[in-house]
Amino acid sequence: MKKISALPADDALPGWYHTSRARTPKPAHIGQKKCRWAIIGAGLTGLAAARQMALNFPDDEIVLIEAQEVGFGSAGRNAGFAIDVPHDIGAKDYIGDVKTAKLILKLNTLGQNYLKDLIKTHDIQCQMSESGKYQAAVGQPGIDILEAYRSGLEKIGRETQMISGKDLPEHLGTSYYKQALFIPGTLLLQPSALVKGLADTLPANVTLYEYTPIKAINYDNKVTLIHDNGSITADNLILANNGFASEFGFLERKLLPTFLYGSLSRELTQEEQQRLGGKPVWGVIPAHPFGSTIRRTVDNRILVRNSFTFHGNGRPSQAELQKFVENHRKSFQRRFPMLPDVNFEYTWSGAICLSENHEGFFGKLAPNVYGALCCNGLGITRGTATGVLLADMLAGKKSDLTDFLLASPGPNKTPPEPFLSIGVNSVLKWGQFRAGLEV
């Protein structure tokens, strides 16, 4: 039997969660239960896998287990960009091998279209906007990145629009940026509202248990998941819990639970909206990967997201959260001097699962254990797509995307502690320093 030593423990004020529709969580599991399929993690990957498994195996009960409440954890704490295009920061043109880039585009588009169909079919109120994204630069190094990215996107047939700094206030309201590459195709969403809606529209043969953290697991002919109030025994287990997969005995020393920090403003008044100007909804991703992500939302709030830390146990630090609020305030003031009285209502941390070589894991982990793990910052689209494809693979359905994912070498092994934390946090600090005014 393997004991789980670290559990999710997210901080209390994720803005997307508190500004989205309140819902009644599904009850925690109590007693003993047996099932054919169990899934750990009701984020975007787990929700997609559960839905597709239910469709592929209509006579089976699919058990979906969430340690916290749906919409409160990592899936409800990201910036809400459902991105289709690839963005390989290890390649000079951010695209790299064209054949691989086209498959990544196809994979991300699968996830994006799957979500669009569900949002429309079930009328999920998640502020979906087909607004595209602005990749924006403050100085010449960032502008050079934008030019390289535009060239790379042309290789895979994606049209873009380069916008000069003098024209950007018409788009974003702010004159802070010197140039931006507008890339159509990205969806902007309220991520917590999205996952809440997905959870509340699951097929009837999915049983969702919330507030059911697994404390121990026994791998045998069947998998037994043990929690404080009972156990669940499954013929097969799917792990969709990203960085916490290592707690279950898989991909140990290969996953890098990295935290980003976000703040969400109060709603802008009508007068403040007029003072800001620009389009009513937009999203900016920095040219430099360690810069600030900024959004103007459907409900007229401003999101600022920046600052990185690494925590090997997947649990954030309250002290760091309080420290980074000041970073967000400075980033806001640089961009929006016309809004001096707009305060933040919510500040939170959110985990993303990275790997050293930017590869995820997809497929079989053990004879009756499978996983779709480590989305490397593209959880909305890639997480959804890999959840669907894993469920299809288990039903005997294959595709070129399945073959592509199975061919991945998976995440690299990392050094042991304390060298890992020292090294990763040093890289993160250096990256944020180099981002300069893009933070």
Side-chain angles (χ1 to χ4, degrees):
M1 181 178 296
K2 179 172 178 55
K3 291 187 177 181
I4 309 300
S5 59
L7 297 167
D10 289 304
D11 40 70
L13 292 175
W16 300 125
Y17 171 83
H18 290 290
T19 59
S20 57
R21 172 187 61 86
R23 61 182 284 275
T24 301
K26 300 295 184 182
H29 178 254
I30 297 174
Q32 279 67 48
K33 186 177 186 68
K34 294 182 179 180
C35 61
R36 185 179 177 193
W37 306 99
I39 301 171
I40 300 287
L44 287 150
T45 304
L47 287 165
R51 186 181 298 272
Q52 197 69 7
M53 290 292 287
L55 298 177
N56 288 337
F57 300 95
D59 297 327
D60 290 341
E61 179 187 16
I62 314 299
V63 174
L64 178 60
I65 305 158
E66 170 58 36
Q68 301 182 111
E69 180 182 331
V70 169
F72 185 80
S74 297
R77 292 168 178 256
N78 58 60
F81 287 73
I83 298 172
D84 54 350
V85 293
H87 189 81
D88 178 5
I89 62 173
K92 289 184 178 180
D93 61 359
Y94 284 70
I95 292 298
D97 178 72
V98 170
K99 183 178 179 181
T100 299
K102 286 182 176 180
L103 284 168
I104 292 172
L105 175 63
K106 185 176 179 180
L107 179 69
N108 293 343
T109 302
L110 168 67
Q112 191 186 73
N113 288 339
Y114 189 82
L115 288 173
K116 283 171 68 173
D117 289 345
L118 290 174
I119 290 165
K120 291 175 181 176
T121 298
H122 297 289
D123 192 26
I124 297 173
Q125 299 300 306
C126 61
Q127 300 182 6
M128 184 178 75
S129 173
E130 300 187 49
S131 301
K133 66 168 178 167
Y134 295 85
Q135 209 96 11
V138 177
Q140 190 58 49
I143 291 172
D144 293 342
I145 290 172
L146 298 184
E147 293 289 356
Y149 195 25
R150 175 170 67 171
S151 173
L153 289 170
E154 286 176 353
K155 295 176 186 176
I156 60 171
R158 289 306 301 265
E159 294 183 5
T160 61
Q161 177 188 2
M162 194 70 80
I163 304 170
S164 65
K166 66 180 178 62
D167 296 323
L168 279 173
E170 298 177 18
H171 296 257
L172 309 177
T174 176
S175 58
Y176 185 72
Y177 298 102
K178 302 300 180 262
Q179 195 162 303
L181 183 66
F182 177 69
I183 306 168
T186 292
L187 302 178
L188 299 180
L189 303 154
Q190 213 278 26
S192 186
L194 171 65
V195 291
K196 288 178 181 180
L198 292 171
D200 288 342
T201 57
L202 287 167
N205 59 325
V206 176
T207 302
L208 169 62
Y209 295 113
E210 297 178 65
Y211 293 112
T212 306
I214 301 304
K215 301 292 185 69
I217 185 165
N218 186 34
Y219 297 107
D220 207 335
N221 293 330
K222 298 179 185 291
V223 179
T224 302
L225 306 164
I226 300 162
H227 54 83
D228 285 342
N229 298 306
S231 65
I232 299 168
T233 300
D235 294 346
N236 301 279
L237 175 66
I238 294 173
L239 292 180
N241 56 350
N242 271 329
F244 286 100
S246 58
E247 289 293 321
F248 286 74
F250 300 102
L251 305 181
E252 294 175 278
R253 287 181 47 202
K254 292 186 176 184
L255 304 177
L256 303 174
T258 304
F259 286 80
L260 262 165
Y261 299 80
S263 286
L264 191 65
S265 78
R266 63 164 170 79
E267 291 186 40
L268 303 183
T269 65
Q270 192 68 39
E271 189 273 333
E272 287 166 340
Q273 294 173 44
Q274 292 173 351
R275 208 189 309 161
L276 173 61
K279 294 183 177 181
V281 180
W282 48 260
V284 168
I285 291 179
H288 193 285
F290 286 95
S292 292
T293 296
I294 311 289
R295 276 190 59 185
R296 181 176 176 182
T297 66
V298 171
D299 56 349
N300 288 300
R301 299 174 184 268
I302 303 293
L303 168 76
V304 178
R305 190 174 187 236
N306 63 41
S307 303
F308 295 74
T309 59
F310 168 75
H311 298 282
N313 64 0
R315 296 163 67 97
S317 161
Q318 189 65 35
E320 288 172 334
L321 178 67
Q322 293 170 349
K323 179 177 71 174
F324 292 137
V325 175
E326 185 57 32
N327 289 3
H328 297 162
R329 172 51 53 192
K330 290 177 182 176
S331 299
F332 186 97
Q333 290 170 341
R334 289 189 194 115
R335 291 161 175 80
F336 308 109
M338 76 292 288
L339 302 174
D341 301 320
V342 176
N343 64 301
F344 294 129
E345 282 192 343
Y346 304 97
T347 297
W348 67 93
S349 64
I352 56 176
C353 186
L354 305 177
S355 65
E356 186 274 334
N357 60 346
H358 310 296
E359 293 283 344
F361 179 86
F362 177 92
K364 180 182 283 191
L365 292 159
N368 53 348
V369 184
Y370 306 86
L373 303 157
C374 193
C375 294
N376 286 285
L378 277 177
I380 293 182
T381 48
R382 188 183 180 97
T384 297
T386 54
V388 171
L389 290 168
L390 185 62
D392 281 347
M393 186 189 80
L394 294 174
K397 304 174 185 177
K398 300 278 291 266
S399 71
D400 59 336
L401 290 177
T402 312
D403 293 337
F404 169 64
L405 292 167
L406 289 171
S408 166
N412 280 353
K413 199 147 195 172
T414 58
E417 294 287 8
F419 307 105
L420 176 62
S421 289
I422 293 169
V424 174
N425 279 308
S426 296
V427 169
L428 294 176
K429 287 178 181 178
W430 175 240
Q432 290 167 92
F433 173 77
R434 290 188 63 198
L437 291 174
E438 287 203 7
V439 175

